[in-house]
Amino acid sequence: MAIVNLFYISLLLLLLLPLFLLFLLSIIIRPRPVQIPIKKRHVFITGGSSGIGLALAHQAASEGARISILSRSIDKLEEAKNAIRLSTGIDVAIFAADVRDFEAVQRAVDEAGPIDVLIVNQGVFVAQELEEQKLDEVRFIIDVNLMGSFNMIKATLPGMKRSRKDRGPGSISLMSSQAGQVGIYGYTAYSASKFGLRGLAEALQQEVIGDNIHVSLVFPPDTKTPGLVEENKRKPQLTSIIAASSSAMTADEVAKKALDGIKSGSFIIPCNSEGILLSMATAGLSPQRSYLMAFVEVVAAGILRFAALCFQWNLYRSIEKSRMQKN
């Protein structure tokens, strides 16, 4: 009889512990869940003339947002403007500026007016081993991807803060990469620039949460854009093999995942199944708004760490094989 009672008590504890953990997580998760409206709000997208940025502009416009897009080429901006008008009937505002130039960015933001949703999407990428890559190219990647993001946010933030009481919650979204979650051979400069966005996003969220501004970090895999074709021409062979472990997505697919995540106020936004696993494995001290996702992260932490070590084992084995073949 005592054994039977012990069995039922153990079974009850096994059922109650997960429920208690869910209840506890629902209390302690910060920031709290939020919804970011898109319809009839001003969405400003950098790198908006092509690729993921253009796809985001199309989707946000189709949901009734007022759209502004910024990139360096006025010709590409005009093409994007016409394409969006043709598909959605929405007339978008265009701004030609280099995100590395703070004064030019500030002029564009001032002309655009109060921004509700800022999507910092610009990015450049050249895959090459650091020993072979010129430092001017490294600086260019970091200046565009990381410093350009600082410039955009710094230019936008004062106006975004001032208008929050009248316009509801604001959003700042940063387009990172799965190479901003795990370092990859040949991505030395690119990974450094994208890892930097995570530190920026985590610290910024703490600074602006009191102003009802919510930060998101998007982690797409390789995305089928015109830029990817050029990137692949210079990729080291080993980089291409490793990158192929996560399936490529179309710009429209990434844009849909990104916009859905932004609207739900998610801090980390993965874009495919590999991205979800990477996001859980690298959650660390990042904010988490979903207590269900927090539960999965807590329960799966040990298993995911083991999986991460297996990934690293396979990665370094590939590097060793490549080195042996070269020698």
Side-chain angles (χ1 to χ4, degrees), residues 190-250:
Y190 184 69
S191 281
S193 70
K194 294 299 186 178
F195 266 85
L197 291 180
R198 182 164 191 150
L200 164 58
E202 290 187 6
L204 180 66
Q205 180 61 96
Q206 296 172 27
E207 294 180 9
V208 301
I209 190 64
D211 298 290
N212 201 15
I213 297 172
H214 307 275
V215 179
S216 294
L217 198 54
V218 187
F219 292 105
D222 276 353
T223 306
K224 298 171 186 175
T225 63
L228 182 63
V229 176
E230 293 302 314
E231 291 162 11
N232 286 337
K233 291 177 181 177
R234 284 187 57 181
K235 269 185 185 176
Q237 184 181 11
L238 185 55
T239 305
S240 298
I241 293 169
I242 296 168
S245 63
S246 183
S247 54
M249 297 176 68
T250 66

Side-chain angles (χ1 to χ4, degrees), residues 225-280:
T225 63
L228 182 63
V229 176
E230 293 302 314
E231 291 162 11
N232 286 337
K233 291 177 181 177
R234 284 187 57 181
K235 269 185 185 176
Q237 184 181 11
L238 185 55
T239 305
S240 298
I241 293 169
I242 296 168
S245 63
S246 183
S247 54
M249 297 176 68
T250 66
D252 286 336
E253 289 170 339
V254 171
K256 173 91 169 54
K257 293 285 187 181
L259 199 58
D260 287 346
I262 291 167
K263 289 189 292 184
S264 66
S266 300
F267 179 77
I268 290 178
I269 305 174
C271 295
N272 61 5
S273 56
E274 295 93 340
I276 292 170
L277 291 173
L278 267 176
S279 296
M280 290 192 294

Side-chain angles (χ1 to χ4, degrees), residues 57-183:
H58 273 281
Q59 293 195 24
S62 69
E63 294 188 24
R66 173 193 161 204
I67 305 295
S68 295
I69 56 175
L70 178 146
S71 76
R72 286 182 294 176
S73 170
I74 188 64
D75 293 335
K76 287 186 177 180
L77 283 166
E78 290 287 357
E79 289 177 16
K81 179 179 180 177
N82 293 333
I84 294 168
R85 185 195 295 126
L86 192 64
S87 66
T88 67
I90 302 293
D91 200 15
V92 305
I94 57 174
F95 301 94
D98 189 328
V99 293
R100 295 173 295 171
D101 183 345
F102 178 74
E103 285 72 24
V105 166
Q106 186 69 73
R107 287 193 296 271
V109 168
D110 290 344
E111 187 179 341
I115 295 168
D116 298 302
V117 177
L118 172 66
I119 304 178
V120 185
N121 169 75
Q122 83 285 341
V124 292
F125 169 58
V126 179
Q128 195 172 23
E129 296 95 336
L130 180 59
E131 186 178 5
E132 304 296 327
Q133 197 162 33
K134 293 180 180 178
L135 282 176
D136 285 344
E137 197 166 58
V138 173
R139 289 189 190 96
F140 175 63
I141 291 169
I142 291 174
D143 282 348
V144 173
N145 296 355
L146 185 56
M147 286 307 302
S149 300
F150 274 99
N151 288 340
M152 277 308 310
I153 294 167
K154 190 165 178 62
T156 304
L157 211 47
M160 184 177 276
K161 282 186 174 183
R162 283 195 300 269
S163 60
R164 289 288 52 85
K165 287 183 180 179
D166 301 324
R167 301 170 70 95
S171 171
I172 297 173
S173 175
L174 297 160
M175 190 64 65
S176 184
S177 164
Q178 287 182 357
Q181 294 174 290
V182 58

